[in-house]
Structures are given as C-alpha cells and as structure tokens.
Amino acid sequence: MPNTFQIVVNFIKQQFPHQDFIALHEPKFIGNEKAYVLDAISSTFVSSVGAYVNKFEEMMCEITGAKHAIAIVNGTNALHLALLLADVQEDDEVLSQSLTFIATCNAISYIKAKPVFIDVDLDTLGISPSSLNQFLHKYGEKRADGYTYNKQSQKRIKACVPMHTFGLPCRIDEIAEICKQWNISLIEDAAESLGSYYKNQHTGTFGKIGTFSFNGNKTVTCGGGGALVTDDDALAKRAKHLSTQAKQAHRWAFLHDEIGYNYRMPNLNAALACAQLEQLNAFVENKRVLASSYKNFFQDLAIPFVEELPEAQSNYWLNAILWKDIEEREAFLKYANDHGVMSRPVWELMHRLPMFSTAQKADLSNSEYIADRLVNIPSSVRI
C-alpha cells in the first residue's frame, strides 16, 4: 500500500506543480478583488450598508435563479436565520444528517431545537430519501393542526435540513416531495454548493429557503460571508429585517419591534464577494477539469472517487476518495500530509460528538461507512 500512496501523492503533485506544500483548498484573487475593496473603502461605506451589498444580492439572484437573496455575515448565521424564518421553535425537531459540518447542528441548537439524524446515500453523501421516508413512516404522525409529530418523543418535526456535501447535489427533488407530504419545512444547507445544479436547477432553490457560505475555503470567498435565498416575498422581507437588528425604517430614530440580529454582511466583504462571483463560472469549470482528471486516475487504481449523479452538475468544491477501511485511511492521511499534500478526513459524525450523542437517529450505516473511509484531497482552482 505505501507504493500506492506514493503514486497517489505524486499524481496530486503533478496537478499542482511548483508548490512545496499543496493546500486542501486555497482562495484565488485574480480579478477585481482589490479594485472593488478599495472602491468600498473610498466610499466610506464599509459596514452593513453599501452599494456592494446590494450588488451582491442581485448577483446571487442571477446565479441561483432565486427571487430574493439576503446578504448575511456568514453561512452559520444564514442557517440560523433560515430556521427562525421557518418558525422552528425551542424543542421542535429538525431532521438532518450526521455526516455534516458542525455548523448545521450548531444553528439548530441556537434555537434550542433538537437535531434528529437521517442516513445519507453512499453516492451523494447527502440525506437519503429512502432513510428519510422510512424514518417518517416509522415515527411520524400528522395531527389535526397539520404538523407532523414524532410518535416517540411527541415533539413537532418542523424542518428538514439536507446538505449538498462537498458541492455534490443530493436527491433534493425526492427530499422536497417527502417534506411536502409531511408538511415539513425544507431548508437547504447549500453552504458548499454554489455553482452546483440538480436537474438544471441551482441547489438551494428547491425548498422554502437555501443558505450559502463564503468562508475562506469555499469555491468563491469574501473571507467570511453568507447568503440566504428564497422565492417568498414575505420571508425575504422578514430576513432582511431580522438581520439588521429588527430596526424599523426611520430617518433618525432608533426603533426596534422585536429581537433582531447583527447578521448583515459588511460592504467590504460584499465588495470582495462581487469580484469573486464574477469568476464563479470560470472557477467551477477549472475545478470540474481537475475532478475529471482525478476520476480517471483513481478509476485506473480501483480507488473509489466520489462523483456527481448523472442528473447533477457539481462544483466539486472538495474532491473525495474512499479507502478500504479506517486503518488504510489513517495511513494515507499520515503519508500525504508528511509529504506536503494536505488531506483531511470527513468531519466527525455528529452523533459521535458528546453534545449530540443522545439525539434520536435512524440506522446510520452509510454515514459510518463513509466516515471511516473518506479522504478529501487538494481541490483548489489551478492557475
């Protein structure tokens, strides 16, 4: 196996020549980033009001096809706000996946709601419609108020939050149909999937609300940043209101009508984001070429490469391969990182963390299989 590790590491190095250390995913600032940020500084509008905030929202609508986009300070806050907009309340249950970044469950926990873990599909790494359907038929009960309740916990199941893992679209149309049948609000965690499509529809636009992240390691970045998209006029208006401290419009008075949040993206970040969004298509095309090279290479080695569904188009934010078992995975991680190639395992499963260890869960065999074998390999845009 060490010989195979060497072959893999050497191939990765060939994709990123002239680099002593190859990062997992690094940003590329090769467009109008400096010009737009300097322009924002010159305007003196550097906080949560400014022309670039408005432009960013317009660009996100154009890219995703959503009717409304609201600029948020980061992806976690966008998800928290989305849950509030969906009327998720304390002690409500939110169906999600254990194979996710902790931000998903943290946002649920901010409201003191309870995550319930559904298994993922092996090919998408996102919520499995089959697992979701089985769970709801076993534990779900629609009551006279129109909502679905968990027969075991007696709590209301208010929302479902699937994630498009590593930019790979999950079977979101099937998930949306199941949620509709059970009157469960669908909120897409599309943090990693800007530029990804499922059946020619952009991720984040299949449910009530979708959320995105522009963290420093994402396909396009503004350091920190997020967005919320929706087609619902009332939800969009309320999202903007809540994200700006619930301040009522007035020329000089400070009037607030409810508890609000300081979640609005600053104009400086938005300036950087606009410049990056101008390059989104080129970045995704570049990354898809890299993914294709990886796919062909690992196919020859008989090492599974995680690829998009036939009906999907992924941004391939992070490329992923699967080793035989956890021992082989750990051995490769050590070898690759020792030899200048950053590689990482998938996140620790949420139900294995102490704060979520008592959460109800479906059979998570697929999630556990993936968690013990998956490795992310360098996936940056290549210049």
Side-chain angles (χ1 to χ4, degrees), residues 84-290:
L84 291 172
L85 293 168
D87 193 35
V88 176
Q89 300 177 15
E90 183 174 348
D91 281 337
D92 280 347
E93 292 183 344
V94 178
L95 308 177
S96 190
Q97 52 197 79
S98 186
L99 186 82
T100 186
F101 182 55
I102 196 168
T104 310
C105 291
N106 279 344
I108 294 169
S109 301
Y110 295 163
I111 304 174
K112 297 184 180 180
K114 309 296 181 184
V116 175
F117 298 121
I118 306 301
D119 206 9
V120 299
D121 281 331
L122 289 173
D123 53 0
T124 70
L125 311 183
I127 279 184
S128 165
S130 175
S131 178
L132 178 62
N133 205 32
Q134 289 175 19
F135 181 88
L136 286 170
H137 277 95
K138 182 175 182 179
Y139 296 106
E141 178 183 62
K142 287 190 74 172
R143 295 185 180 172
D145 61 3
Y147 290 113
T148 294
Y149 289 79
N150 187 324
K151 288 185 288 188
Q152 178 172 294
S153 67
Q154 297 302 307
K155 298 181 186 299
R156 183 175 67 161
I157 302 175
K158 189 63 182 67
C160 177
V161 184
M163 184 177 70
H164 300 289
T165 310
F166 306 141
L168 295 161
C170 61
R171 291 179 171 85
I172 191 63
D173 57 342
E174 296 179 40
I175 295 169
E177 182 58 33
I178 294 169
C179 289
K180 182 180 179 181
Q181 292 172 8
W182 292 88
N183 193 24
I184 295 171
S185 296
L186 174 59
I187 299 170
E188 288 176 74
D189 185 345
E192 302 167 1
S193 65
L194 186 65
S196 295
Y197 295 82
Y198 185 72
K199 296 184 178 178
N200 298 315
Q201 182 174 338
H202 200 290
T203 56
T205 64
F206 286 80
K208 184 185 290 287
I209 305 166
T211 62
F212 295 88
S213 169
F214 297 84
N215 190 41
N217 64 352
K218 295 300 188 291
T219 302
V220 298
T221 180
C222 55
L228 182 153
V229 299
T230 183
D231 287 338
D232 189 301
D233 296 344
L235 285 181
K237 182 178 180 179
R238 181 158 168 73
K240 190 166 289 189
H241 183 59
L242 287 178
S243 68
T244 52
Q245 301 282 25
K247 184 178 182 298
Q248 295 179 304
H250 194 281
R251 288 175 61 198
W252 58 80
F254 291 93
L255 303 173
H256 307 264
D257 56 6
E258 59 182 313
I259 300 296
Y261 303 88
N262 187 18
Y263 280 0
R264 190 79 164 147
M265 180 191 288
N267 199 45
L268 277 179
N269 294 87
L272 187 59
C274 289
Q276 288 268 287
L277 287 176
E278 289 175 348
Q279 303 168 86
L280 175 63
N281 289 340
F283 283 178
V284 171
E285 182 180 353
N286 188 300
K287 288 166 66 63
R288 286 180 60 81
V289 170
L290 174 62

Side-chain angles (χ1 to χ4, degrees), residues 33-47 49-52 267-268 271:
E33 290 87 353
K34 290 182 180 179
Y36 289 178
V37 170
L38 288 173
D39 183 53
I41 292 172
S42 297
S43 75
T44 73
F45 287 93
V46 296
S47 191
V49 174
Y52 285 106
N267 199 45
L268 277 179

Side-chain angles (χ1 to χ4, degrees), residues 231-376:
D231 287 338
D232 189 301
D233 296 344
L235 285 181
K237 182 178 180 179
R238 181 158 168 73
K240 190 166 289 189
H241 183 59
L242 287 178
S243 68
T244 52
Q245 301 282 25
K247 184 178 182 298
Q248 295 179 304
H250 194 281
R251 288 175 61 198
W252 58 80
F254 291 93
L255 303 173
H256 307 264
D257 56 6
E258 59 182 313
I259 300 296
Y261 303 88
N262 187 18
Y263 280 0
R264 190 79 164 147
M265 180 191 288
N267 199 45
L268 277 179
N269 294 87
L272 187 59
C274 289
Q276 288 268 287
L277 287 176
E278 289 175 348
Q279 303 168 86
L280 175 63
N281 289 340
F283 283 178
V284 171
E285 182 180 353
N286 188 300
K287 288 166 66 63
R288 286 180 60 81
V289 170
L290 174 62
S292 180
S293 296
Y294 276 148
K295 175 186 173 182
N296 293 333
F297 170 75
F298 287 110
Q299 191 171 41
D300 290 341
L301 288 180
I303 297 172
F305 173 78
V306 185
E307 58 181 302
E308 65 196 6
L309 295 174
E311 58 269 36
Q313 181 177 331
S314 174
N315 66 7
Y316 283 106
W317 170 55
L318 287 183
N319 292 291
I321 56 176
L322 298 173
W323 293 100
K324 182 179 65 176
D325 51 34
I326 193 169
E327 289 78 15
E328 191 171 88
R329 183 202 74 177
E330 289 298 298
F332 174 77
L333 286 168
K334 183 178 187 311
Y335 183 91
N337 285 283
D338 284 349
H339 289 81
V341 173
M342 183 183 287
S343 301
R344 292 288 184 268
V346 73
W347 318 281
E348 187 67 38
L349 293 177
M350 294 298 101
H351 74 278
R352 293 176 176 173
L353 299 178
M355 53 283 206
F356 303 120
S357 61
T358 60
Q360 188 177 3
K361 56 185 182 295
D363 173 28
L364 300 179
S365 298
N366 289 348
S367 301
E368 291 172 349
Y369 180 91
I370 293 293
D372 289 345
R373 292 163 175 81
L374 187 141
V375 168
N376 289 123

